[in-house]
Amino acid sequence: MKKSKLPKTFIILITIINFLFFSFLQSQSIIDAFLIGNNTTILRGTQQDGLITPRDLDFHKDANRQNELWVINEGGTPYGNNTQYIETVCIPQNSNVTFTIYDSYGDGICCSFGNGSYNVNVCGVTVTSGGNFGSQESTSFNVSTCDDACAENEVEVVISILTDNYGGETSWDIVDDDNSTVYGMHADAGGSTVTYYNAGQDNQWAEYRKDSFSGHFMHTASAIAMSENGTFANTLDCQDANNNTNGYFTGCTLWDSDTTIYARINQNGPLLGSHIDMIHQSPYSEGIASAGGNVYWLFDGYHNAICKYDFGAPHQHGGDDHSDGRVWRHSVVAVDRVPGLSSHMEIDPVSGWLYIADTGNERILRMDPNSGQIAQSLDPYGETLQGYWRMSGTDWEVVADSNMTYPTGLDIYDNRLLVSDYANGDIIVYDITQDPVVELGRIETGLSNEIMGLKISPEGAIWYVCSNANELYQITTMLMGDLNGDGNYNIVDVLLCVQFVMGLADLEEDELNRADMNYDGVIDVFDVLLIVDLILD
């Protein structure tokens, strides 16, 4: 790494002059540091936390809750009808756990539509059994100690399920009461969430939640988006949320992120769980982006279009009044899905453009969310809405369509667009301040057919989920401008760089790398000014 060869007095003069005009300089994005390659990848979540086919993730938008990372699970393969299943789970000795069995229709597994039943056995003793319940039934117990087929210091819990005429409605989980560890589960077609509190920190912990009516409202959940008002919405990658072969009744669902409400109220009826709204006009919806308030943009895989959903005023928790909902379908923005893959979207906070992973067409699009005009009124399917329209004249364009196979994950941070390619695991970084958009480089994860969702944390770390391995990862990198490596930008970093430029001190190799803010191979006054810019920002 070179240093400037200008005379010291001249350097000082240039430093003072440039400092007065530093606001005119554009600092590099923190994301660019990932392209140098000095990155660290950390496994942050596993199936033990409750991850089962995770497809997307998002950080909470509340300033006091930005360390909360929410991951949404697709849901599992349903049980067959009138079939006996015996499953075993090994749990640490003397653990306090809760077994919960769910029925997504709300009529238990006995005795209106078949004679189903369940039994949970520990150390040869039945701790709970039944079948005649509503939406769910829970039993808490201590697993104690005994000799069985599990490893030393573990106890075997045997779960026997005889399904009724609708086995696909049945699911269960067994969760530690003290630390929320999910020891075992069978998920139905309804998705679930895992919230990571203090995400990425030493005291990170996870909480798994599944609404008892998620068989409809999170049926084959494919994407999640948080709004700054405390709501979040998810899309459904299915044809019909009621499993009707000839039906097309599905779209996206709105929830309250209040943890005293979400997946906590109406879990046994009489209302439909804790959801606060749903509009059913987009089968096979693959991606979602918050537009603020209760307005979301949706990737409609059935109509091959991008839709705007305005839920209006949410109904009561578990209600079903959708009459104030409005939907605008931008059919001119022609997209295509790939079955089983998500197609994520995000609004650039600077330009306002909506960026879209058009997975089936192997490209990235962007559209002006404020463009277009109503061309036709449409008849809503299966529900009454305030309005449903087909739009025309939408402004949109292709921004990238080379060297990518299945773009799925997508996020925007600090003027950089990041896209994950499901096919090879590359994370592609684009500079969206230039026109046309420029690819800056790629982060190679080597995880082919895995990465489904991608998100950048508020401090600039990259997070992604592996949908088949049921894992969550965080990528961190060397922080450019943080010369002393304390994780913060401050006057110490400026002084170290100034002393080096003036020839008054030497820097270690890692300090030199962090000091080269504009990546030109020379440490000079411009790097000093860019560090100052970071501090003042």
Side-chain angles (χ1 to χ4, degrees):
M1 190 73 67
K2 299 178 181 178
K3 68 175 72 175
S4 172
K5 296 298 184 180
L6 294 174
K8 295 178 182 177
T9 54
F10 185 74
I11 291 174
I12 295 172
L13 178 61
I14 293 296
T15 300
I16 294 173
I17 293 173
N18 278 280
F19 181 81
L20 295 175
F21 295 97
F22 75 91
S23 60
F24 294 99
L25 294 175
Q26 295 296 318
S27 62
Q28 296 291 314
S29 170
I30 294 175
I31 297 299
D32 296 346
F34 285 94
L35 298 175
I36 296 175
N38 191 8
N39 304 325
T40 302
T41 301
I42 308 168
L43 177 64
R44 290 295 189 184
T46 65
Q47 189 167 357
Q48 193 173 42
D49 301 325
L51 297 180
I52 178 166
T53 316
R55 288 184 61 165
D56 196 17
L57 65 170
D58 200 3
F59 282 89
H60 205 285
K61 297 298 191 295
D62 189 307
N64 296 319
R65 299 176 64 180
Q66 285 187 343
N67 64 342
E68 292 181 22
L69 176 62
W70 289 57
V71 179
I72 193 163
N73 295 319
E74 173 187 299
T77 302
Y79 281 139
N81 302 334
N82 302 306
T83 304
Q84 180 77 52
Y85 295 90
I86 298 178
E87 306 193 42
T88 60
V89 180
C90 291
I91 296 175
Q93 292 179 350
N94 289 315
S95 295
N96 297 310
V97 300
T98 296
F99 171 83
T100 304
I101 186 167
Y102 307 90
D103 183 89
S104 60
Y105 190 76
D107 63 348
I109 56 178
C110 185
C111 301
S112 300
F113 300 96
N115 294 309
S117 62
Y118 73 91
N119 180 283
V120 180
N121 188 286
V122 183
C123 297
V125 177
T126 295
V127 294
T128 184
S129 62
N132 189 6
F133 59 93
S135 298
Q136 69 178 59
E137 190 165 71
S138 298
T139 303
S140 299
F141 54 92
N142 184 281
V143 299
S144 188
T145 61
C146 62
D147 293 329
D148 50 35
C150 289
E152 186 178 359
N153 299 322
E154 291 185 333
V155 174
E156 183 180 58
V157 177
V158 180
I159 300 160
S160 301
I161 305 286
L162 174 62
T163 61
D164 62 4
N165 297 345
Y166 298 91
E169 298 171 357
T170 302
S171 61
W172 58 268
D173 57 54
I174 186 164
V175 181
D176 193 294
D177 294 340
D178 300 317
N179 57 30
S180 299
T181 296
V182 181
Y183 294 116
M185 65 186 308
H186 179 87
D188 64 5
S192 55
T193 60
V194 180
T195 302
Y196 289 89
Y197 297 90
N198 305 318
Q201 302 175 24
D202 292 339
N203 59 345
Q204 171 186 298
W205 60 283
E207 182 183 38
Y208 167 83
R209 291 198 182 193
K210 176 179 170 62
D211 190 272
S212 61
F213 288 83
S214 68
H216 177 81
F217 299 107
M218 283 190 180
H219 192 304
T220 322
S222 55
I224 185 174
M226 288 279 178
S227 176
E228 85 290 339
N229 70 352
T231 66
F232 70 93
N234 69 270
T235 50
L236 286 73
D237 185 9
C238 64
Q239 176 181 307
D240 186 275
N242 290 322
N243 297 311
N244 293 320
T245 304
N246 298 320
Y248 299 91
F249 192 61
T250 191
C252 60
T253 306
L254 187 68
W255 306 84
D256 191 330
S257 69
D258 185 333
T259 54
T260 66
I261 294 174
Y262 167 61
R264 287 294 181 266
I265 65 172
N266 297 325
Q267 296 304 284
N268 281 303
L271 299 179
L272 303 176
S274 62
H275 86 287
I276 55 176
D277 220 328
M278 185 177 188
I279 300 178
H280 305 75
Q281 303 306 312
S282 295
Y284 299 115
S285 50
E286 308 294 357
I288 193 167
S290 170
N294 296 324
V295 180
Y296 292 82
W297 286 92
L298 196 72
F299 185 113
D300 185 328
Y302 179 76
H303 296 106
N304 303 108
I306 300 300
C307 297
K308 179 181 177 181
Y309 272 57
D310 184 350
F311 289 99
H315 56 53
Q316 63 178 319
H317 296 97
D320 59 4
D321 182 3
H322 312 147
S323 59
D324 65 342
R326 294 179 293 171
V327 178
W328 296 261
R329 186 202 298 171
H330 291 258
S331 300
V332 68
V333 188
V335 295
D336 195 15
R337 63 185 282 264
V338 173
L341 298 187
S342 299
S343 299
H344 296 305
M345 311 191 300
E346 191 66 35
I347 293 177
D348 176 18
V350 177
S351 67
W353 284 93
L354 173 66
Y355 283 78
I356 304 155
D358 186 6
T359 312
N361 290 316
E362 303 179 8
R363 61 186 184 176
I364 304 298
L365 312 179
R366 66 182 176 190
M367 63 169 282
D368 180 355
N370 299 312
S371 65
Q373 53 275 336
I374 294 175
Q376 177 186 5
S377 292
L378 302 173
D379 294 326
Y381 178 87
E383 62 190 344
T384 300
L385 298 176
Q386 184 175 334
Y388 184 23
W389 304 279
R390 180 178 64 82
M391 304 294 289
S392 64
T394 308
D395 293 332
W396 69 282
E397 61 185 10
V398 177
V399 297
D401 61 357
S402 62
N403 299 319
M404 66 177 70
T405 304
Y406 290 141
T408 52
L410 182 152
D411 199 13
I412 297 171
Y413 186 94
D414 199 16
N415 291 319
R416 298 295 184 258
L417 168 68
L418 285 81
V419 177
S420 61
D421 190 331
Y422 180 81
N424 59 19
D426 284 358
I427 298 174
I428 313 168
V429 180
Y430 298 93
D431 181 354
I432 55 176
T433 65
Q434 301 188 54
D435 191 12
V437 168
V438 173
E439 179 182 328
L440 298 177
R442 299 182 177 222
I443 304 166
E444 297 180 357
T445 69
L447 298 171
S448 59
N449 301 319
E450 276 291 356
I451 300 178
M452 191 80 75
L454 169 76
K455 201 68 186 177
I456 314 303
S457 67
E459 69 275 9
I462 300 174
W463 293 74
Y464 60 84
V465 289
C466 294
S467 59
N468 298 309
N470 303 318
E471 292 175 335
L472 167 71
Y473 285 92
Q474 177 195 31
I475 308 178
T476 60
T477 192
M478 176 178 61
L479 198 60
M480 298 301 293
D482 178 23
L483 271 67
N484 64 352
D486 65 355
N488 298 294
Y489 299 122
N490 51 47
I491 191 63
V492 175
D493 302 308
V494 177
L495 292 176
L496 286 172
C497 196
V498 168
Q499 289 174 341
F500 177 78
V501 171
M502 297 180 66
L504 302 177
D506 292 325
L507 296 176
E508 300 293 334
E509 183 178 356
D510 60 338
E511 294 173 329
L512 287 170
N513 289 331
R514 290 194 289 266
D516 187 17
M517 293 292 293
N518 56 7
Y519 311 107
D520 63 357
V522 177
I523 309 301
D524 56 23
V525 64
F526 297 105
D527 298 300
V528 174
L529 296 174
L530 290 171
I531 297 172
V532 172
D533 194 20
L534 285 175
I535 294 172
L536 295 178
D537 282 346

